[in-house]
Amino acid sequence: MSSQSNSTVYLMVGVVAALALWGTYLAIGSYLGLAEGTRGYDIRRGLIVFGFMGGFLLFWGALLWNRKRRLRSDKDDDLV
């Protein structure tokens, strides 16, 4: 693995970790209900936010995995 691909992997892991932390922060904030006019401590709001962030990360990961698989098969086709 080249150093460029290593740095790309580290960057992607960092971005995913930052998004997961941000989603957790937003889910905790929505659970606590600190906004004016909301009832506090409603687990459903936190689960909705956390679920959508998890779904986004899974969708993004699936797209990246598909791209990597497609590029690998194109590379194998060029060698034949």
Side-chain angles (χ1 to χ4, degrees):
M1 202 178 260
S2 69
S3 64
Q4 182 182 7
S5 61
N6 276 340
S7 64
T8 303
V9 169
Y10 291 140
L11 179 65
M12 293 304 292
V13 168
V15 168
V16 169
L19 284 173
L21 285 173
W22 183 56
T24 302
Y25 175 74
L26 292 176
I28 289 170
S30 64
Y31 162 72
L32 294 176
L34 300 176
E36 193 68 33
T38 60
R39 294 179 299 163
Y41 307 118
D42 188 0
I43 191 73
R44 293 172 295 177
R45 289 189 307 240
L47 290 176
I48 289 169
V49 171
F50 197 70
F52 273 96
M53 179 57 78
F56 170 76
L57 289 175
L58 285 173
F59 178 69
W60 190 34
L63 289 176
L64 288 172
W65 172 78
N66 189 32
R67 179 180 181 269
K68 183 178 180 180
R69 187 178 56 84
R70 191 179 69 236
L71 288 176
R72 188 178 303 149
S73 72
D74 288 347
K75 190 180 194 182
D76 291 342
D77 290 342
D78 290 343
L79 293 176
V80 174

